[in-house]
Amino acid sequence: NSMRSEVTGPKRVDVVLLGRRWPLYLCSLGVEGWFQAAVRVSGGHDVRVTHTRCHHRGDGECRWQVEWT
């Protein structure tokens, strides 16, 4: 598996999972924690992660929107 990021604003990025599906617990909980930690380590604050699309909900891909201040 790999991920692709798309910068969608000054402090916002969309991340898309490419390849196989992940288990639901990882897709809906684990990945969000990784994104939050990565942004905080990089100096971001008030990190918000929204799981906007998900294979487990019937979407064609898994996608997360990450925003911070």
Side-chain angles (χ1 to χ4, degrees):
N1 288 340
S2 62
M3 296 182 138
R4 180 184 72 234
S5 62
E6 303 169 0
V7 176
T8 56
K11 294 188 177 185
R12 187 170 79 189
V13 64
D14 284 3
V15 182
V16 180
L17 176 65
L18 305 170
R20 298 182 310 165
R21 295 181 189 183
W22 284 344
L24 179 59
Y25 71 90
L26 184 59
C27 191
S28 61
L29 300 173
V31 174
E32 292 184 19
W34 294 344
F35 295 151
Q36 290 172 349
V39 172
R40 287 186 187 122
V41 166
S42 299
H45 302 280
D46 301 317
V47 184
R48 294 171 308 283
V49 179
T50 307
H51 194 180
T52 58
R53 297 180 57 90
C54 184
H55 281 292
H56 299 285
R57 296 190 307 245
D59 295 317
E61 65 184 5
C62 287
R63 178 180 290 260
W64 298 264
Q65 184 180 74
V66 184
E67 298 178 280
W68 63 94
T69 60

